[in-house]
Amino acid sequence: GGRAGPGVGPNGFYGASGGGHGGPGGIGQGASTTGIAYGNTFRPTSLGSGGGGNIHSNCGTINANTGGSGGAALRVVVGGRFSHSGTITMDGTIGTSVGPSCTYTW
């Protein structure tokens, strides 16, 4: 899930950072650092790290949203013939963004 891996993106207030892998993750508006780079850029064998969670105040309540999980790793070693007619998906997941909307009366 999210928040895992050696390059996990840090949480941020109103904007978290992305997880790193072969390079650093993107920096979020509310974060001061990024997910660190790790692994081999050209021959990655480790899993991708999750993104940071977004922390925000909504209607006087602090809400924490979870960052998405990092991608997978797959290595295929074939000594003979190999045929694959399906789909191999290695994507991470999208983080959550939840919280109530506010109604203000004055």
Side-chain angles (χ1 to χ4, degrees), residues 7-106:
V8 67
N11 291 335
F13 200 74
Y14 290 103
S17 292
H21 191 247
I27 190 164
Q29 178 182 351
S32 59
T33 60
T34 68
I36 62 167
Y38 65 94
N40 186 316
T41 302
F42 303 104
R43 284 185 83 174
T45 57
S46 52
L47 303 177
S49 292
N54 181 30
I55 303 167
H56 61 95
S57 175
N58 196 357
C59 303
T61 302
I62 299 295
N63 297 295
N65 300 315
T66 305
S69 63
L74 173 70
R75 180 177 180 200
V76 179
V77 178
V78 179
R81 182 178 170 178
F82 176 78
S83 175
H84 176 73
S85 59
T87 301
I88 298 174
T89 304
M90 307 294 287
D91 301 334
T93 61
I94 297 172
T96 63
S97 181
V98 296
S101 61
C102 299
T103 301
Y104 296 101
T105 306
W106 63 95

